[in-house]
Amino acid sequence: FFLQKEDLQIYEKYCQNKPRSEALWRQCGDSIFFQECQRKLDHKLSLDAYLLKPVQRITKYQLLLKEMLKCSKNSEGTAELEEALATVLDIIKSVNDSMHQIAITGYEGDVSELGKLLMQGSFNVWTDHKKGHNKVKDLARFKPMQRHLFLYTKMLLFCKKREENTDGHEKTASYSFKNSLKMSTVGITENVKGDNKKFEIWYNGREEVYIIQASSVELKNTWISEIRKVLT
């Protein structure tokens, strides 16, 4: 089919490099060289506008495919269109995940050695590091921490999200590393009494317990499904 996942993966690398290209443009955008190139090519927009095009295009692919599917239900080529849409959505997810991943700070290891990044997202987290385990109702009295979790096949990272203004431009997020758990040593409890959006991840025979609250039951179930796949 005309959409091959391998060909589209270049978008992930391009988007990862986008912050660097933006920084370089802020440094060099006023140079006479770029102004002269724009004049010779008779371009109404400056180079930075064209550098944004690939980022916009990857999201437009999914809209185009969805519209094509609406017009081709139960017809020849429907299966291929559905496959192409699934591929594009997977690439968009990979791009989004990788953009968050490159913003992790303070992790002393190499994130590329943690395996594939499966999921990432923000949660309320309660922790208990004592030996044994207090009742959930006791833990729930304390104010939760806001943590951004990165689930890899080998490790679960807990980070704190920070937002900063850069050179008067939009806020950029970074993720300050706080803690990690090896996936080969953790257990999971899918349901926490009193809140169907919570689940537990525990370590070393429940010596360390992390109660994690998702924004919705659907999101919780998606994470539990991915964690179960890793554990099994």
Side-chain angles (χ1 to χ4, degrees):
F1 196 64
F2 66 91
L3 281 178
Q4 298 293 328
K5 186 174 181 178
E6 293 75 17
D7 296 333
L8 290 173
Q9 283 175 333
I10 193 170
Y11 280 100
E12 185 174 336
K13 187 172 290 187
Y14 184 91
C15 291
Q16 285 178 344
N17 285 321
K18 192 68 175 60
R20 293 175 58 196
S21 69
E22 288 174 349
L24 285 170
W25 177 254
R26 287 196 292 271
Q27 293 175 23
C28 310
D30 293 333
S31 81
I32 295 173
F33 171 78
F34 288 117
Q35 292 177 19
E36 185 63 17
C37 286
Q38 183 178 345
R39 187 190 65 78
K40 284 182 178 179
L41 295 168
D42 195 26
H43 284 170
K44 295 179 180 179
L45 301 175
S46 56
L47 177 61
D48 59 323
Y50 293 99
L51 291 173
L52 185 60
K53 292 290 184 183
V55 180
Q56 296 171 331
R57 188 174 296 122
I58 189 64
T59 57
K60 287 180 178 178
Y61 285 149
Q62 65 159 324
L63 299 176
L64 174 63
L65 288 165
K66 285 176 180 177
E67 285 300 314
M68 290 173 70
L69 271 169
K70 284 181 184 178
C71 303
S72 356
K73 285 186 178 179
N74 302 318
S75 62
E76 187 178 346
T78 299
E80 287 84 355
L81 284 171
E82 289 174 344
E83 184 181 347
L85 177 59
T87 297
V88 169
L89 291 175
D90 188 48
I91 291 294
I92 291 172
K93 179 184 179 299
S94 295
V95 168
N96 184 50
D97 287 348
S98 68
M99 293 304 291
H100 289 276
Q101 178 181 245
I102 61 174
I104 296 173
T105 62
Y107 181 69
E108 294 183 357
D110 185 350
V111 294
S112 66
E113 297 178 355
L114 302 183
K116 183 181 178 182
L117 176 59
L118 304 172
M119 302 281 287
Q120 55 80 28
S122 293
F123 297 86
N124 289 326
V125 178
W126 290 263
T127 62
D128 179 22
H129 293 278
K130 297 176 183 177
K131 213 162 190 175
H133 177 54
N134 294 333
K135 292 181 180 179
V136 172
K137 64 180 181 181
D138 294 328
L139 284 174
R141 291 175 185 170
F142 300 98
K143 187 177 180 181
M145 296 177 291
Q146 301 294 317
R147 289 290 181 263
H148 201 91
L149 274 56
F150 292 85
L151 175 64
Y152 294 87
T153 52
K154 296 181 181 179
M155 195 87 75
L156 177 65
L157 301 188
F158 292 79
C159 300
K160 184 174 182 179
K161 185 177 181 179
R162 304 181 188 279
E163 288 187 328
E164 298 177 358
N165 287 315
T166 55
D167 302 330
H169 291 74
E170 294 182 3
K171 286 185 177 180
T172 57
S174 64
Y175 301 95
S176 178
F177 171 74
K178 294 296 180 183
N179 191 28
S180 64
L181 296 174
K182 288 183 179 180
M183 293 306 295
S184 60
T185 61
V186 303
I188 184 172
T189 305
E190 295 188 12
N191 297 299
V192 173
K193 189 176 179 180
D195 192 336
N196 60 2
K197 292 184 291 187
K198 287 180 180 177
F199 62 99
E200 287 182 347
I201 291 179
W202 41 270
Y203 171 73
N204 197 20
R206 299 184 71 85
E207 186 173 326
E208 294 180 27
V209 179
Y210 299 82
I211 298 178
I212 300 169
Q213 183 185 53
S215 57
S216 68
V217 175
E218 292 75 20
L219 181 62
K220 167 195 159 179
N221 291 336
T222 301
W223 273 73
I224 285 174
S225 176
E226 286 297 324
I227 292 170
R228 283 290 184 203
K229 288 177 187 176
V230 174
L231 298 183
T232 55

